[in-house]
Structures are given as structure tokens and as C-alpha cells.
């Protein structure tokens, strides 16, 4: 809880000088490094192995599209976000084979 409060205070303090995207990027880097160190200390190399690589790849793709959509939202405004989200949904619906096509 203390780390969350410290992070919140830093974001509020730095928000006047930096873009939100910059703050989110730095925060993500700090979290990835901290989590990586924690996992490697507690579990060693086995902590980074997964039994579900497909699900992790899908999650990565969704997170990438979400980050791109948020960036476009901040740069171009409200309508862009909805347009790109709708295009992503249409792409996913068209790329997944239907039960009748199998």
C-alpha cells in the first residue's frame, strides 16, 4: 500500500511537467524491472516459464492495441478511439472461424 501511495504522489508531482504517456511508460518500465527482479529472486528462471504461451501472446496483442488506441485518443480526440476500437472488433470477428465453417 505504501508503494502505491508513493507512486501516486510521484505521478501527481510530475504530471505538471510531463505528458501522461511519458509517465505511464516510465511507470511500466519500473514495474517490469521490479517484478522481474522479484520473480527471479523468489523462483529463479522457472518463474518466467509459462504453460500457456498462446494466451500470453493474445494478451500482449490486446494490450498493444489498447496502448495504440489510448495514444490516438490523446493525440486526435474522442472519435478516433471509437473508430479504431470498432475496427479491432470487426477484425477479430472476421479472423476467428465460425462454428459453421469448421
Amino acid at each position: 500500500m505504501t508503494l502505491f501511495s508513493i507512486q501516486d504522489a510521484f505521478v501527481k508531482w510530475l504530471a505538471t511537467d510531463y505528458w501522461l504517456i511519458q509517465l505511464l511508460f516510465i511507470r511500466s518500465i519500473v514495474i517490469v524491472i521490479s517484478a522481474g527482479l522479484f520473480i527471479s529472486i523468489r523462483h529463479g528462471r522457472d518463474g518466467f516459464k509459462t504453460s500457456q504461451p498462446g494466451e500470453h501472446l493474445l494478451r500482449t496483442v490486446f494490450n498493444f492495441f489498447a496502448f495504440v488506441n489510448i495514444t490516438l485518443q490523446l493525440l486526435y480526440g474522442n472519435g478516433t478511439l471509437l473508430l479504431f476500437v470498432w475496427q479491432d472488433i470487426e477484425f477479430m470477428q472476421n479472423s476467428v472461424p465460425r462454428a459453421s465453417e469448421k
Side-chain angles (χ1 to χ4, degrees):
M1 191 64 162
T2 302
L3 290 177
F4 186 75
S5 299
I6 291 171
Q7 177 224 338
D8 189 43
F10 271 121
V11 168
K12 288 179 182 176
W13 176 51
L14 295 173
T16 58
D17 298 328
Y18 297 99
W19 282 22
L20 178 62
I21 292 294
Q22 290 174 313
L23 294 174
L24 291 174
F25 180 73
I26 297 298
R27 185 189 73 165
S28 298
I29 289 174
V30 169
I31 290 171
V32 166
I33 292 171
S34 301
L37 287 173
F38 179 77
I39 291 169
S40 66
I41 290 170
R42 295 227 19 196
H43 303 286
R45 295 187 103 161
D46 292 336
F48 295 102
K49 294 180 183 174
T50 181
S51 61
Q52 302 171 336
E55 286 82 0
H56 287 285
L57 179 64
L58 187 62
R59 179 180 176 187
T60 302
V61 168
F62 283 135
N63 283 330
F64 172 76
F65 281 121
F67 182 76
V68 168
N69 283 324
I70 289 171
T71 303
L72 291 172
Q73 168 71 22
L74 290 172
L75 293 176
Y76 298 112
N78 291 338
T80 309
L81 178 67
L82 296 176
L83 173 70
F84 281 98
V85 169
W86 182 253
Q87 288 176 350
D88 290 345
I89 291 171
E90 282 184 347
F91 173 76
M92 288 184 300
Q93 287 176 345
N94 293 333
S95 64
V96 176
R98 305 208 191 308
S100 60
E101 296 175 0
K102 290 183 179 180

XYZ file of all heavy atoms in Angstrom:
838
model
N 0.826 -1.194 0.000
C 0.000 0.000 0.000
C 0.870 1.258 0.000
O 0.533 2.237 -0.644
C -0.924 -0.040 1.216
C -1.976 0.988 1.183
S -3.061 0.662 -0.213
C -4.444 1.581 0.223
N 1.981 1.210 0.688
C 2.864 2.363 0.748
C 3.449 2.677 -0.627
O 3.523 3.843 -1.021
C 4.005 2.117 1.753
O 3.424 1.836 3.025
C 4.896 3.326 1.866
N 3.856 1.643 -1.385
C 4.416 1.863 -2.712
C 3.387 2.480 -3.654
O 3.720 3.335 -4.471
C 4.948 0.552 -3.290
C 6.196 -0.014 -2.627
C 6.564 -1.353 -3.254
C 7.348 0.960 -2.730
N 2.143 2.048 -3.531
C 1.091 2.611 -4.365
C 0.896 4.095 -4.055
O 0.731 4.911 -4.956
C -0.218 1.843 -4.157
C -1.307 2.259 -5.086
C -1.287 1.864 -6.422
C -2.345 3.055 -4.643
C -2.290 2.258 -7.286
C -3.355 3.449 -5.495
C -3.328 3.048 -6.827
N 0.945 4.460 -2.788
C 0.788 5.854 -2.389
C 1.959 6.702 -2.874
O 1.776 7.834 -3.335
C 0.672 5.963 -0.872
O -0.441 5.257 -0.410
N 3.160 6.150 -2.790
C 4.343 6.870 -3.267
C 4.268 7.077 -4.772
O 4.548 8.167 -5.280
C 5.629 6.111 -2.873
C 5.824 6.171 -1.358
C 6.846 6.680 -3.587
C 6.928 5.268 -0.853
N 3.872 6.042 -5.498
C 3.733 6.155 -6.945
C 2.687 7.209 -7.296
O 2.898 8.028 -8.190
C 3.350 4.806 -7.540
C 3.108 4.859 -9.018
C 1.873 4.097 -9.449
O 1.410 3.215 -8.764
N 1.345 4.454 -10.591
N 1.576 7.221 -6.610
C 0.527 8.195 -6.860
C 1.028 9.617 -6.616
O 0.759 10.526 -7.404
C -0.686 7.892 -5.979
C -1.889 8.730 -6.339
O -2.152 8.877 -7.552
O -2.559 9.229 -5.419
N 1.783 9.808 -5.548
C 2.337 11.128 -5.251
C 3.318 11.572 -6.333
O 3.309 12.738 -6.764
C 3.024 11.105 -3.888
N 4.170 10.651 -6.803
C 5.113 10.988 -7.869
C 4.389 11.365 -9.162
O 4.773 12.321 -9.839
C 6.075 9.822 -8.138
C 7.309 9.859 -7.287
C 7.600 8.807 -6.448
C 8.177 10.931 -7.329
C 8.730 8.824 -5.652
C 9.309 10.970 -6.551
C 9.596 9.914 -5.707
N 3.344 10.635 -9.515
C 2.602 10.936 -10.734
C 1.963 12.316 -10.643
O 2.028 13.104 -11.585
C 1.548 9.842 -11.018
C 0.576 10.282 -12.101
C 2.228 8.547 -11.410
N 1.367 12.636 -9.518
C 0.757 13.957 -9.356
C 1.808 15.063 -9.391
O 1.573 16.139 -9.933
C -0.036 14.003 -8.049
C -1.305 13.198 -8.115
C -2.071 13.239 -6.822
C -3.313 12.368 -6.932
N -4.055 12.296 -5.692
N 2.964 14.797 -8.833
C 4.032 15.790 -8.805
C 4.611 16.017 -10.202
O 4.870 17.140 -10.614
C 5.112 15.328 -7.830
C 6.321 16.207 -7.756
C 6.360 17.560 -7.570
C 7.675 15.779 -7.854
N 7.651 17.999 -7.542
C 8.484 16.923 -7.717
C 8.285 14.545 -8.031
C 9.861 16.869 -7.753
C 9.660 14.495 -8.063
C 10.438 15.643 -7.923
N 4.799 14.944 -10.961
C 5.419 15.043 -12.281
C 4.434 15.365 -13.396
O 4.843 15.706 -14.506
C 6.144 13.733 -12.606
C 7.337 13.404 -11.711
C 7.850 11.999 -12.018
C 8.441 14.427 -11.889
N 3.135 15.256 -13.129
C 2.121 15.452 -14.173
C 2.119 16.868 -14.737
O 1.684 17.078 -15.865
C 0.738 15.100 -13.633
N 2.621 17.824 -13.992
C 2.641 19.197 -14.493
C 3.754 19.422 -15.512
O 3.672 20.337 -16.324
C 2.819 20.190 -13.334
O 4.029 19.879 -12.636
C 1.642 20.117 -12.373
N 4.787 18.574 -15.493
C 5.941 18.763 -16.377
C 6.024 17.757 -17.523
O 6.737 18.002 -18.499
C 7.242 18.667 -15.566
C 7.329 19.755 -14.502
O 6.802 20.856 -14.744
O 7.920 19.487 -13.446
N 5.347 16.608 -17.424
C 5.482 15.549 -18.422
C 4.118 15.117 -18.930
O 3.113 15.238 -18.240
C 6.205 14.330 -17.823
C 7.615 14.639 -17.405
C 7.907 14.909 -16.070
C 8.634 14.655 -18.328
C 9.198 15.203 -15.681
C 9.934 14.945 -17.938
C 10.213 15.215 -16.614
O 11.488 15.506 -16.238
N 4.093 14.573 -20.163
C 2.869 14.027 -20.723
C 2.483 12.773 -19.967
O 3.325 12.062 -19.419
C 3.087 13.656 -22.174
C 3.079 14.796 -23.124
C 3.313 16.113 -22.848
C 2.841 14.724 -24.519
N 3.246 16.839 -23.987
C 2.955 16.021 -25.035
C 2.551 13.682 -25.387
C 2.781 16.304 -26.371
C 2.376 13.965 -26.722
C 2.487 15.265 -27.202
N 1.206 12.487 -19.982
C 0.701 11.286 -19.319
C 1.312 10.023 -19.915
O 1.678 9.093 -19.194
C -0.827 11.226 -19.420
C -1.496 10.005 -18.819
C -1.219 9.931 -17.321
C -2.975 10.015 -19.092
N 1.468 9.981 -21.233
C 2.053 8.812 -21.893
C 3.481 8.583 -21.397
O 3.889 7.441 -21.179
C 2.016 8.988 -23.429
C 0.594 8.953 -23.936
C 2.869 7.948 -24.133
C -0.095 7.621 -23.778
N 4.248 9.646 -21.217
C 5.608 9.509 -20.707
C 5.604 8.934 -19.295
O 6.413 8.062 -18.966
C 6.324 10.856 -20.711
C 6.651 11.368 -22.090
C 7.237 12.761 -22.049
O 6.707 13.635 -21.370
N 8.320 12.970 -22.782
N 4.696 9.420 -18.464
C 4.613 8.910 -17.094
C 4.209 7.438 -17.075
O 4.769 6.639 -16.318
C 3.621 9.741 -16.283
C 4.022 11.191 -16.033
C 2.893 11.941 -15.356
C 5.292 11.271 -15.218
N 3.249 7.069 -17.922
C 2.818 5.670 -17.981
C 3.940 4.766 -18.489
O 4.118 3.650 -17.996
C 1.594 5.528 -18.885
C 0.298 6.145 -18.365
C -0.789 6.055 -19.423
C -0.139 5.480 -17.075
N 4.713 5.254 -19.457
C 5.818 4.469 -19.988
C 6.880 4.227 -18.912
O 7.312 3.088 -18.708
C 6.425 5.191 -21.198
C 7.570 4.459 -21.819
C 7.342 3.319 -22.564
C 8.866 4.913 -21.664
C 8.392 2.632 -23.144
C 9.924 4.238 -22.238
C 9.686 3.095 -22.980
N 7.277 5.265 -18.219
C 8.289 5.122 -17.151
C 7.765 4.238 -16.035
O 8.473 3.367 -15.520
C 8.720 6.506 -16.611
C 9.382 7.317 -17.713
C 9.610 6.377 -15.397
C 10.652 6.704 -18.260
N 6.507 4.427 -15.664
C 5.920 3.593 -14.613
C 5.924 2.119 -15.018
O 6.241 1.236 -14.222
C 4.490 4.048 -14.320
C 3.863 3.293 -13.153
C 2.426 3.604 -13.024
N 1.712 2.935 -14.109
C 0.409 2.765 -14.147
N -0.335 3.239 -13.191
N -0.160 2.135 -15.139
N 5.602 1.857 -16.285
C 5.594 0.479 -16.773
C 6.992 -0.124 -16.749
O 7.161 -1.291 -16.385
C 5.028 0.431 -18.192
O 3.700 0.872 -18.194
N 7.990 0.649 -17.137
C 9.368 0.149 -17.102
C 9.775 -0.195 -15.671
O 10.360 -1.254 -15.414
C 10.334 1.172 -17.724
C 10.129 1.232 -19.230
C 11.788 0.832 -17.404
C 10.928 2.303 -19.917
N 9.466 0.691 -14.737
C 9.815 0.445 -13.336
C 9.105 -0.808 -12.818
O 9.706 -1.640 -12.133
C 9.468 1.677 -12.467
C 9.568 1.365 -10.984
C 10.376 2.838 -12.824
N 7.842 -0.982 -13.174
C 7.086 -2.155 -12.727
C 7.656 -3.435 -13.318
O 7.807 -4.448 -12.613
C 5.588 -1.994 -13.066
C 4.974 -0.918 -12.176
C 4.841 -3.307 -12.914
C 3.572 -0.528 -12.560
N 7.995 -3.423 -14.617
C 8.535 -4.626 -15.259
C 9.871 -5.009 -14.630
O 10.116 -6.181 -14.325
C 8.673 -4.409 -16.783
C 9.542 -5.477 -17.421
C 7.306 -4.380 -17.429
N 10.734 -4.034 -14.403
C 12.035 -4.326 -13.784
C 11.854 -4.836 -12.361
O 12.470 -5.831 -11.963
C 12.938 -3.085 -13.832
C 13.335 -2.786 -15.283
C 14.182 -3.274 -12.967
C 14.045 -1.463 -15.466
N 10.998 -4.182 -11.587
C 10.769 -4.599 -10.194
C 10.161 -6.000 -10.126
O 10.612 -6.830 -9.332
C 9.834 -3.616 -9.485
O 10.368 -2.326 -9.502
N 9.165 -6.249 -10.955
C 8.526 -7.571 -10.958
C 9.503 -8.641 -11.426
O 9.532 -9.753 -10.878
C 7.283 -7.562 -11.843
N 10.309 -8.314 -12.430
C 11.308 -9.267 -12.910
C 12.327 -9.632 -11.848
O 12.672 -10.809 -11.681
N 12.798 -8.631 -11.114
C 13.735 -8.914 -10.025
C 13.086 -9.751 -8.931
O 13.684 -10.698 -8.422
C 14.273 -7.605 -9.444
C 15.273 -6.848 -10.317
C 15.577 -5.492 -9.701
C 16.536 -7.657 -10.497
N 11.858 -9.409 -8.574
C 11.149 -10.149 -7.536
C 10.950 -11.610 -7.943
O 11.205 -12.531 -7.161
C 9.791 -9.478 -7.261
C 8.974 -10.185 -6.228
C 9.263 -10.051 -4.889
C 7.903 -10.980 -6.601
C 8.512 -10.702 -3.922
C 7.136 -11.640 -5.655
C 7.442 -11.498 -4.315
N 10.511 -11.826 -9.177
C 10.274 -13.196 -9.655
C 11.577 -13.974 -9.722
O 11.632 -15.142 -9.323
C 9.564 -13.173 -11.025
C 8.131 -12.663 -10.858
C 9.562 -14.547 -11.671
C 7.429 -12.362 -12.154
N 12.636 -13.342 -10.226
C 13.904 -14.061 -10.347
C 14.506 -14.399 -8.984
O 15.128 -15.453 -8.829
C 14.907 -13.263 -11.184
O 15.262 -12.073 -10.530
N 14.311 -13.565 -8.005
C 14.818 -13.857 -6.659
C 14.024 -14.980 -6.012
O 14.585 -15.890 -5.408
C 14.791 -12.582 -5.778
C 15.855 -11.598 -6.276
C 15.003 -12.919 -4.317
C 15.763 -10.226 -5.635
N 12.696 -14.946 -6.147
C 11.858 -15.956 -5.488
C 11.824 -17.298 -6.202
O 11.773 -18.340 -5.554
C 10.421 -15.450 -5.361
C 10.344 -14.270 -4.455
C 9.316 -14.248 -3.435
N 8.676 -15.450 -3.044
C 7.557 -15.478 -2.375
N 6.964 -14.362 -2.063
N 7.027 -16.606 -2.010
N 11.806 -17.286 -7.555
C 11.579 -18.522 -8.300
C 12.695 -18.873 -9.281
O 12.638 -19.934 -9.895
C 10.262 -18.441 -9.077
C 9.083 -18.170 -8.212
N 8.524 -19.119 -7.384
C 8.347 -17.048 -8.037
C 7.496 -18.590 -6.744
N 7.370 -17.332 -7.124
N 13.651 -18.001 -9.464
C 14.719 -18.257 -10.427
C 14.200 -18.202 -11.856
O 13.194 -17.547 -12.148
N 14.871 -18.908 -12.755
C 14.468 -18.891 -14.161
C 13.124 -19.572 -14.393
O 12.427 -19.264 -15.357
C 15.529 -19.584 -15.000
C 16.845 -18.853 -14.984
C 17.767 -19.481 -15.932
N 17.770 -18.585 -17.096
C 18.703 -18.579 -17.996
N 19.688 -19.431 -17.920
N 18.661 -17.743 -18.991
N 12.746 -20.505 -13.528
C 11.468 -21.197 -13.696
C 10.270 -20.261 -13.532
O 9.183 -20.541 -14.026
C 11.345 -22.355 -12.707
C 12.327 -23.480 -13.010
O 12.745 -23.578 -14.188
O 12.668 -24.238 -12.088
N 10.470 -19.165 -12.839
C 9.383 -18.212 -12.644
C 8.956 -17.516 -13.921
O 7.869 -16.952 -13.989
N 9.797 -17.543 -14.954
C 9.487 -16.875 -16.211
C 8.941 -17.818 -17.278
O 8.626 -17.390 -18.374
C 10.737 -16.163 -16.749
C 11.189 -15.044 -15.866
C 12.275 -15.218 -15.019
C 10.533 -13.835 -15.862
C 12.693 -14.191 -14.201
C 10.935 -12.802 -15.047
C 12.020 -12.978 -14.207
N 8.828 -19.094 -16.955
C 8.299 -20.059 -17.915
C 6.782 -20.116 -17.803
O 6.215 -19.940 -16.727
C 8.893 -21.444 -17.660
C 10.375 -21.487 -17.923
C 10.942 -22.854 -17.664
C 12.444 -22.833 -17.879
N 13.058 -24.098 -17.509
N 6.124 -20.365 -18.924
C 4.672 -20.435 -18.938
C 4.209 -21.728 -19.598
O 4.885 -22.270 -20.462
C 4.060 -19.228 -19.684
O 2.648 -19.345 -19.645
C 4.520 -19.159 -21.115
N 3.056 -22.172 -19.177
C 2.457 -23.343 -19.814
C 1.371 -22.924 -20.801
O 0.742 -23.771 -21.420
C 1.864 -24.267 -18.745
O 0.856 -23.573 -18.036
N 1.146 -21.610 -20.941
C 0.093 -21.097 -21.822
C 0.637 -19.975 -22.720
O 0.219 -18.822 -22.622
C -1.063 -20.560 -20.989
C -1.666 -21.594 -20.072
C -2.655 -20.981 -19.110
O -2.600 -19.800 -18.813
N -3.573 -21.803 -18.630
N 1.554 -20.273 -23.633
C 2.133 -19.213 -24.455
C 1.124 -18.543 -25.392
O 1.222 -17.343 -25.653
C 3.233 -19.923 -25.246
C 2.872 -21.359 -25.222
C 2.119 -21.582 -23.948
N 0.153 -19.285 -25.881
C -0.857 -18.699 -26.769
C -1.685 -17.628 -26.079
O -1.947 -16.566 -26.649
N -2.089 -17.902 -24.864
C -2.879 -16.933 -24.106
C -2.055 -15.685 -23.785
O -2.569 -14.564 -23.815
C -3.423 -17.553 -22.815
C -4.576 -18.515 -23.037
C -4.143 -19.909 -23.444
O -2.929 -20.161 -23.571
O -5.017 -20.760 -23.656
N -0.779 -15.871 -23.498
C 0.083 -14.719 -23.218
C 0.290 -13.876 -24.475
O 0.309 -12.642 -24.400
C 1.432 -15.172 -22.653
C 1.341 -15.648 -21.245
N 1.200 -14.790 -20.179
C 1.364 -16.886 -20.716
C 1.141 -15.478 -19.063
N 1.236 -16.764 -19.361
N 0.420 -14.520 -25.616
C 0.555 -13.783 -26.870
C -0.711 -12.999 -27.170
O -0.645 -11.816 -27.561
C 0.878 -14.750 -28.013
C 1.014 -14.105 -29.390
C 2.194 -13.146 -29.411
C 1.171 -15.172 -30.446
N -1.870 -13.606 -26.984
C -3.142 -12.921 -27.208
C -3.288 -11.723 -26.278
O -3.705 -10.636 -26.702
C -4.307 -13.896 -27.007
C -5.687 -13.385 -27.359
C -5.764 -13.037 -28.841
C -6.732 -14.421 -26.999
N -2.905 -11.888 -25.037
C -2.965 -10.786 -24.079
C -2.031 -9.654 -24.503
O -2.388 -8.476 -24.409
C -2.576 -11.307 -22.695
C -2.585 -10.253 -21.634
C -2.202 -10.842 -20.305
N -2.123 -9.798 -19.310
C -1.688 -9.968 -18.089
N -1.292 -11.162 -17.696
N -1.640 -8.985 -17.245
N -0.857 -9.994 -25.007
C 0.083 -8.985 -25.476
C -0.486 -8.211 -26.652
O -0.364 -6.981 -26.722
C 1.416 -9.650 -25.875
O 1.934 -10.344 -24.741
C 2.421 -8.636 -26.360
N -1.135 -8.907 -27.576
C -1.732 -8.246 -28.737
C -2.832 -7.287 -28.291
O -2.897 -6.138 -28.752
C -2.276 -9.297 -29.735
C -3.149 -8.658 -30.797
C -1.124 -10.059 -30.361
N -3.702 -7.722 -27.394
C -4.762 -6.842 -26.892
C -4.193 -5.628 -26.169
O -4.688 -4.509 -26.335
C -5.714 -7.597 -25.961
C -6.683 -8.481 -26.688
C -6.917 -9.772 -26.256
C -7.376 -8.030 -27.793
C -7.810 -10.600 -26.910
C -8.277 -8.840 -28.469
C -8.492 -10.129 -28.020
N -3.161 -5.827 -25.362
C -2.546 -4.701 -24.665
C -1.906 -3.723 -25.640
O -1.969 -2.506 -25.444
C -1.503 -5.196 -23.659
C -2.144 -5.743 -22.410
O -3.214 -5.303 -22.009
N -1.504 -6.699 -21.793
N -1.291 -4.243 -26.702
C -0.696 -3.366 -27.710
C -1.770 -2.509 -28.372
O -1.608 -1.293 -28.511
C 0.058 -4.186 -28.760
C 0.536 -3.363 -29.910
C 1.639 -2.544 -29.769
C -0.122 -3.399 -31.133
C 2.086 -1.762 -30.829
C 0.311 -2.631 -32.199
C 1.419 -1.813 -32.048
N -2.879 -3.136 -28.797
C -3.948 -2.373 -29.433
C -4.558 -1.362 -28.463
O -4.913 -0.254 -28.861
C -5.030 -3.287 -29.999
C -4.649 -3.893 -31.316
C -4.585 -5.268 -31.459
C -4.355 -3.103 -32.402
C -4.233 -5.837 -32.669
C -4.000 -3.658 -33.622
C -3.938 -5.026 -33.746
N -4.669 -1.716 -27.211
C -5.196 -0.773 -26.222
C -4.268 0.426 -26.074
O -4.717 1.577 -26.018
C -5.386 -1.468 -24.880
N -2.961 0.174 -26.032
C -1.999 1.270 -25.911
C -2.053 2.172 -27.139
O -2.042 3.403 -27.018
C -0.584 0.713 -25.712
C 0.446 1.784 -25.542
C 0.562 2.473 -24.355
C 1.299 2.107 -26.583
C 1.499 3.473 -24.196
C 2.239 3.101 -26.439
C 2.342 3.784 -25.245
N -2.141 1.583 -28.336
C -2.230 2.377 -29.560
C -3.509 3.206 -29.557
O -3.505 4.393 -29.902
C -2.164 1.464 -30.804
C -2.554 2.216 -32.074
C -0.773 0.870 -30.941
N -4.620 2.604 -29.139
C -5.885 3.334 -29.103
C -5.850 4.485 -28.112
O -6.352 5.575 -28.400
C -7.040 2.392 -28.762
C -7.441 1.546 -29.942
O -7.404 2.002 -31.076
N -7.804 0.312 -29.685
N -5.258 4.274 -26.967
C -5.167 5.355 -25.971
C -4.280 6.474 -26.487
O -4.585 7.657 -26.325
C -4.665 4.806 -24.623
C -5.748 3.960 -23.977
C -4.246 5.932 -23.694
C -5.303 3.200 -22.759
N -3.182 6.113 -27.142
C -2.295 7.129 -27.702
C -3.021 7.942 -28.766
O -2.938 9.179 -28.779
C -1.040 6.468 -28.304
O -0.405 5.698 -27.291
C -0.082 7.502 -28.830
N -3.749 7.282 -29.649
C -4.518 8.000 -30.666
C -5.592 8.866 -30.039
O -5.875 9.969 -30.511
C -5.139 7.010 -31.653
C -4.141 6.298 -32.561
C -4.841 5.197 -33.348
C -3.458 7.272 -33.489
N -6.194 8.378 -28.976
C -7.214 9.145 -28.258
C -6.614 10.448 -27.724
O -7.197 11.512 -27.869
C -7.772 8.309 -27.108
C -8.606 9.058 -26.117
C -9.944 9.477 -26.666
O -10.416 8.899 -27.617
N -10.543 10.473 -26.078
N -5.448 10.354 -27.129
C -4.818 11.544 -26.571
C -4.375 12.512 -27.661
O -4.399 13.724 -27.469
C -3.623 11.150 -25.701
C -3.972 10.449 -24.393
C -2.711 9.940 -23.716
C -4.727 11.381 -23.463
N -3.966 11.988 -28.807
C -3.470 12.850 -29.873
C -4.580 13.470 -30.716
O -4.491 14.626 -31.114
C -2.521 12.061 -30.783
C -1.208 11.632 -30.148
C -0.414 10.775 -31.122
C -0.387 12.841 -29.716
N -5.643 12.694 -31.024
C -6.617 13.145 -32.009
C -8.034 13.363 -31.488
O -8.855 13.895 -32.207
C -6.668 12.144 -33.171
C -5.354 12.043 -33.884
C -4.592 10.889 -33.811
C -4.847 13.116 -34.606
C -3.374 10.797 -34.455
C -3.635 13.036 -35.250
C -2.899 11.870 -35.175
O -1.696 11.791 -35.808
N -8.348 12.893 -30.301
C -9.669 13.174 -29.761
C -10.581 11.968 -29.681
O -10.207 10.847 -30.002
N -11.812 12.196 -29.250
C -12.757 11.134 -28.906
C -13.144 10.216 -30.052
O -13.201 9.011 -29.888
C -14.032 11.747 -28.333
C -13.796 12.370 -26.991
O -12.852 12.023 -26.312
N -14.644 13.324 -26.623
N -13.447 10.751 -31.226
C -13.956 9.928 -32.308
C -12.979 8.872 -32.783
O -13.363 7.794 -33.197
N -11.698 9.186 -32.721
C -10.679 8.256 -33.210
C -10.668 6.980 -32.395
O -10.557 5.895 -32.946
C -9.292 8.925 -33.144
O -9.373 10.178 -33.789
C -8.242 8.070 -33.795
N -10.778 7.093 -31.098
C -10.733 5.917 -30.244
C -11.847 4.948 -30.602
O -11.597 3.768 -30.799
C -10.841 6.314 -28.766
C -10.856 5.162 -27.775
C -9.509 4.459 -27.772
C -11.192 5.653 -26.398
N -13.047 5.436 -30.737
C -14.167 4.564 -31.051
C -14.001 3.929 -32.424
O -14.305 2.757 -32.613
C -15.477 5.348 -30.983
C -15.836 5.893 -29.606
C -17.093 6.739 -29.691
C -16.013 4.773 -28.611
N -13.488 4.666 -33.385
C -13.280 4.136 -34.725
C -12.292 2.974 -34.701
O -12.555 1.915 -35.251
C -12.769 5.235 -35.651
C -12.353 4.777 -37.053
C -13.580 4.367 -37.845
C -11.596 5.877 -37.751
N -11.163 3.141 -34.029
C -10.163 2.095 -34.020
C -10.594 0.897 -33.179
O -10.285 -0.235 -33.520
C -8.808 2.636 -33.546
C -8.077 3.374 -34.623
C -8.125 4.745 -34.694
C -7.363 2.682 -35.582
C -7.467 5.426 -35.691
C -6.700 3.346 -36.588
C -6.743 4.725 -36.646
N -11.307 1.121 -32.096
C -11.818 0.004 -31.304
C -12.803 -0.800 -32.139
O -12.758 -2.028 -32.163
C -12.473 0.497 -29.996
C -13.239 -0.615 -29.317
C -11.411 1.048 -29.060
N -13.685 -0.122 -32.880
C -14.658 -0.828 -33.713
C -13.940 -1.614 -34.799
O -14.311 -2.743 -35.092
C -15.647 0.159 -34.319
C -16.683 -0.530 -35.135
C -16.801 -0.550 -36.495
C -17.741 -1.356 -34.652
N -17.860 -1.310 -36.883
C -18.453 -1.824 -35.776
C -18.155 -1.743 -33.376
C -19.570 -2.649 -35.661
C -19.258 -2.564 -33.273
C -19.951 -3.011 -34.391
N -12.907 -1.050 -35.403
C -12.154 -1.767 -36.429
C -11.471 -2.996 -35.839
O -11.410 -4.044 -36.471
C -11.129 -0.851 -37.094
C -11.763 0.172 -38.010
C -10.748 1.139 -38.582
O -9.604 1.178 -38.165
N -11.182 1.926 -39.551
N -10.937 -2.884 -34.620
C -10.308 -4.036 -33.964
C -11.334 -5.139 -33.729
O -11.064 -6.315 -33.948
C -9.690 -3.634 -32.625
C -8.465 -2.762 -32.789
O -7.927 -2.702 -33.912
O -8.056 -2.141 -31.795
N -12.524 -4.763 -33.279
C -13.567 -5.754 -33.012
C -13.977 -6.435 -34.310
O -14.115 -7.658 -34.360
C -14.776 -5.093 -32.316
C -14.393 -4.672 -30.899
C -15.974 -6.030 -32.298
C -15.419 -3.826 -30.202
N -14.167 -5.664 -35.386
C -14.528 -6.262 -36.667
C -13.441 -7.203 -37.163
O -13.717 -8.291 -37.650
C -14.776 -5.172 -37.714
C -16.101 -4.489 -37.589
C -16.326 -3.495 -38.709
O -15.375 -3.161 -39.444
O -17.470 -3.052 -38.856
N -12.174 -6.805 -37.023
C -11.064 -7.655 -37.454
C -11.056 -8.969 -36.680
O -10.905 -10.033 -37.256
C -9.736 -6.921 -37.260
C -8.543 -7.794 -37.515
C -8.172 -8.118 -38.813
C -7.807 -8.310 -36.464
C -7.086 -8.937 -39.051
C -6.719 -9.125 -36.686
C -6.356 -9.434 -37.996
N -11.249 -8.889 -35.363
C -11.233 -10.104 -34.544
C -12.408 -11.012 -34.901
O -12.257 -12.217 -34.968
C -11.261 -9.743 -33.055
C -9.951 -9.158 -32.567
S -9.920 -8.840 -30.806
C -11.250 -7.696 -30.595
N -13.569 -10.436 -35.149
C -14.734 -11.249 -35.501
C -14.547 -11.923 -36.852
O -14.963 -13.056 -37.054
C -15.997 -10.391 -35.516
C -16.470 -10.001 -34.143
C -17.668 -9.070 -34.187
O -17.984 -8.499 -35.226
N -18.327 -8.906 -33.053
N -13.914 -11.242 -37.794
C -13.730 -11.791 -39.135
C -12.574 -12.790 -39.195
O -12.524 -13.614 -40.081
C -13.498 -10.685 -40.160
C -14.740 -9.827 -40.341
O -15.845 -10.291 -40.129
N -14.535 -8.583 -40.697
N -11.616 -12.699 -38.274
C -10.451 -13.576 -38.330
C -10.665 -14.890 -37.575
O -9.927 -15.826 -37.778
C -9.219 -12.861 -37.768
O -9.411 -12.568 -36.402
N -11.675 -14.969 -36.721
C -11.956 -16.180 -35.970
C -12.956 -17.023 -36.759
O -14.032 -16.522 -37.122
C -12.519 -15.850 -34.572
C -12.903 -17.114 -33.836
C -11.521 -15.048 -33.779
N -12.635 -18.277 -37.070
C -13.579 -19.102 -37.830
C -14.855 -19.387 -37.021
O -14.801 -19.637 -35.826
C -12.812 -20.383 -38.115
C -11.665 -20.390 -37.201
C -11.408 -18.977 -36.766
N -15.962 -19.324 -37.679
C -17.236 -19.603 -37.027
C -17.427 -21.112 -36.900
O -16.799 -21.892 -37.603
C -18.367 -18.988 -37.831
C -18.166 -17.500 -38.060
C -19.470 -16.788 -38.211
N -19.432 -15.434 -38.664
C -18.732 -14.435 -38.185
N -17.917 -14.635 -37.204
N -18.819 -13.221 -38.661
N -18.317 -21.514 -36.012
C -18.561 -22.954 -35.785
C -19.066 -23.628 -37.058
O -18.756 -24.787 -37.319
C -19.561 -23.128 -34.658
N -19.835 -22.910 -37.874
C -20.378 -23.493 -39.105
C -19.302 -23.672 -40.177
O -19.479 -24.440 -41.111
C -21.502 -22.627 -39.643
O -21.016 -21.323 -39.929
N -18.161 -22.953 -40.065
C -17.094 -23.029 -41.044
C -16.104 -24.145 -40.750
O -15.260 -24.449 -41.572
C -16.351 -21.689 -41.112
C -17.208 -20.537 -41.590
C -16.470 -19.220 -41.524
O -15.292 -19.205 -41.113
O -17.060 -18.211 -41.891
N -16.149 -24.734 -39.579
C -15.177 -25.757 -39.194
C -15.433 -27.080 -39.842
O -16.388 -27.522 -40.241
C -15.143 -25.925 -37.674
C -14.529 -24.747 -36.994
C -14.440 -24.987 -35.515
C -13.790 -23.802 -34.830
N -13.688 -23.974 -33.422
